[in-house]
Amino acid sequence: MTRTQALVGIIATMAFLFAPEVAAQNCAALTARFQPKLGSGYTSNVIATGLRSPRHIAIDSAGNLLVAEGGSGSVIRLVLKENADGTVCVQSSAALTTDRSTNHGIALSADGKTLYTSSLASVTAYPYDAAAGTIGAGKVIISGMSNTGTHPTRAILISKSSPDTLLVARGSNGNIDTATATLSTARSVIKTFSLSKVASSPADFATGGETLGWGLRNIVGMGEDPISGGVWSVENSMDDVRFGGRDVHNDNPAEKANYHGVLNATTNSLKGANFGYPSCVPAWDPSVLGTGGYQVGSLFKADSTPAAPDCATYQKGRLHFPAHTAPLDIKFNANATSAYIAFHGSWNRSPPDGYRVMRVDFKSGQPVAEATSKTAQVPVMENINTASCPRSCFRPVGLDFDKKGRLYVSSDTSGEVHVVYGA
């Protein structure tokens, strides 16, 4: 969570420093370093190994898998081959970019002809030919996002319902970034930018774009419902929380999924909403918070956070998850009946928790479960034993679907990409 994104990249880079960018495949069967346990109805296989901290991923218009390597700063193109039984494997691989600045985010334009990547400081656009696997010269279109503290990753998303819109998330500068109580700091925020405008006139993140949501401690993944067009984000909440002088950090605050409305809607009451950080955070285990009438998802003011109005005045999350499980991506299946979430896992909880991919069921653009539910998650991929986590286990980061509904999952610590069937 606070230190995870920075540390994992360092650990994974050291672990795979002398490994090839992707092990030579030729569609040979591969063995996962840490084979996950699959939920009911799912099967999977590992299709790439030896990657250097693979983070977010994207399927291009030709069906290739693009991987943002946090450990090398490159984007890797994996050419996929479908076998007779419907499984896939990697036929060939090559590095697309050479600027070595990419550390997390990756997205493709609606027509598939432009590749976008993010780094600590900026978002860069590249002309891209999916069939040939070539790119043109990169151009920085958004700048001014560097932090001096934690949270170096910048999640990006291009809307399909509003294809000229680029979403960019920038996290806080630390665990409790008090300055983010003021919107002008441009941290702990999701902003939207017009692609056509920034293509001709690059923007500064702080002064450009429009605020979609703020008071969001660290948004590391975003997704869009392909049917309703609703935009969702997953948030890593605060560490080391004390409440009323007591240490409540092991099971509070909750991680959460936030709903931001539909971008191209005539009206969107959630546009510009404040979700409470740095003053107010959501409960996961209300029993340790005393007699305040708290439920799962209720916002409470943690100790040592800035003064604030009643926490109930802020926008709540729509779904909540166990503390410190660190959700890093959210993606929907084609008919929007389910969203899949990658939980990277805890670094400061005993026992460790997370390290899994879970499914949340949806209906009519919203989760079936209530915001107070603790049982909304359905297992998809989990570690058999989390005792060796976080360093020696499957640790998911990025998700994406191909046109046949197969779900691809990157695992940064193990340097792998898995594909899940039955999603």
Side-chain angles (χ1 to χ4, degrees):
M1 293 168 55
T2 49
R3 281 158 272 187
T4 296
Q5 288 79 33
L7 289 175
V8 166
I10 295 170
I11 292 167
T13 302
M14 292 175 65
F16 293 98
L17 187 60
F18 300 106
E21 288 180 329
V22 179
Q25 307 296 335
N26 296 319
C27 285
L30 297 174
T31 301
R33 294 184 69 209
F34 314 107
Q35 182 61 51
K37 176 177 66 175
L38 279 298
S40 177
Y42 298 102
T43 59
S44 76
N45 62 280
V46 62
I47 62 168
T49 61
L51 288 157
R52 300 181 181 182
S53 191
R55 300 290 289 183
H56 278 179
I57 59 181
I59 295 285
D60 71 15
S61 58
N64 309 300
L65 180 64
L66 307 185
V67 182
E69 267 195 337
S72 72
S74 295
V75 174
I76 306 298
R77 176 178 176 262
L78 305 180
V79 177
L80 303 180
K81 176 184 176 182
E82 182 172 343
N83 299 313
D85 61 0
T87 61
V88 295
C89 59
V90 174
Q91 190 169 9
S92 64
S93 64
L96 272 180
T97 60
T98 58
D99 65 7
R100 307 298 182 190
S101 66
T102 300
N103 69 351
H104 182 71
I106 187 170
L108 289 159
S109 60
D111 64 6
K113 294 181 179 180
T114 307
L115 169 67
Y116 300 88
T117 65
S118 70
S119 67
L120 168 69
S122 60
V123 176
T124 302
Y126 301 88
Y128 177 55
D129 185 325
T134 57
I135 63 167
K139 178 182 179 181
V140 172
I141 58 171
I142 299 170
S143 59
M145 296 192 292
S146 289
N147 282 7
T148 57
T150 55
H151 304 151
T153 59
R154 309 286 178 254
I156 58 177
L157 176 72
I158 294 178
S159 169
K160 288 184 171 60
S161 66
S162 179
D164 186 51
T165 304
L166 169 68
L167 289 77
V168 185
R170 184 186 183 199
S172 65
N173 209 25
N175 186 36
I176 304 175
D177 187 351
T178 57
T180 62
T182 302
L183 181 57
S184 60
T185 61
R187 295 193 298 271
S188 300
V189 63
I190 300 173
K191 283 196 165 188
T192 62
F193 296 84
S194 164
L195 287 170
S196 56
K197 290 181 180 178
V198 296
S200 58
S201 180
D204 175 77
F205 186 82
T207 59
E210 297 183 350
T211 299
L212 181 64
W214 62 300
L216 299 161
R217 179 178 173 274
N218 190 28
I219 298 299
V220 194
M222 297 179 287
E224 184 179 52
D225 183 318
I227 304 299
S228 71
V231 172
W232 295 80
S233 67
V234 284
E235 183 178 356
N236 289 202
S237 199
M238 202 179 290
D239 295 309
D240 302 320
V241 165
R242 300 183 69 84
F243 181 69
R246 294 175 292 113
D247 181 355
V248 298
H249 91 275
N250 209 53
D251 293 301
N252 288 286
E255 314 285 49
K256 58 191 173 101
N258 303 299
Y259 181 56
H260 301 282
V262 178
L263 295 178
N264 60 0
T266 304
T267 59
N268 180 4
S269 61
L270 292 173
K271 183 178 180 180
N274 186 332
F275 288 77
Y277 177 85
S279 298
C280 300
V281 292
W284 176 251
D285 183 0
S287 68
V288 301
L289 299 179
T291 57
Y294 297 109
Q295 296 179 295
V296 171
S298 295
L299 292 170
F300 66 94
K301 185 183 180 305
D303 293 353
S304 303
T305 61
D310 183 351
C311 287
T313 63
Y314 294 112
Q315 180 66 38
K316 289 184 180 180
R318 178 58 185 84
L319 277 182
H320 299 86
F321 311 112
H324 314 298
T325 50
L328 297 195
D329 207 0
I330 177 170
K331 291 294 183 289
F332 288 81
N333 61 2
N335 60 8
T337 56
S338 299
Y340 290 74
I341 301 174
F343 290 92
H344 196 232
S346 62
W347 63 270
N348 65 338
R349 187 185 186 280
S350 181
D353 197 9
Y355 323 102
R356 55 184 179 253
V357 177
M358 304 292 277
R359 187 187 83 228
V360 173
D361 293 329
F362 270 66
K363 184 178 181 180
S364 301
Q366 290 293 318
V368 173
E370 298 295 328
T372 55
S373 174
K374 281 195 168 186
T375 59
Q377 306 171 66
V378 178
V380 178
M381 302 177 76
E382 302 178 278
N383 281 276
I384 295 171
N385 179 8
T386 59
S388 60
C389 294
R391 294 197 177 191
S392 299
C393 62
F394 164 75
R395 205 167 187 198
V397 180
L399 306 171
D400 203 15
F401 282 94
D402 68 14
K403 292 180 180 179
K404 292 193 174 182
R406 293 172 292 220
L407 176 65
Y408 296 81
V409 182
S410 68
S411 170
D412 61 354
T413 301
S414 61
E416 298 169 334
V417 175
H418 296 248
V419 58
V420 180
Y421 310 94

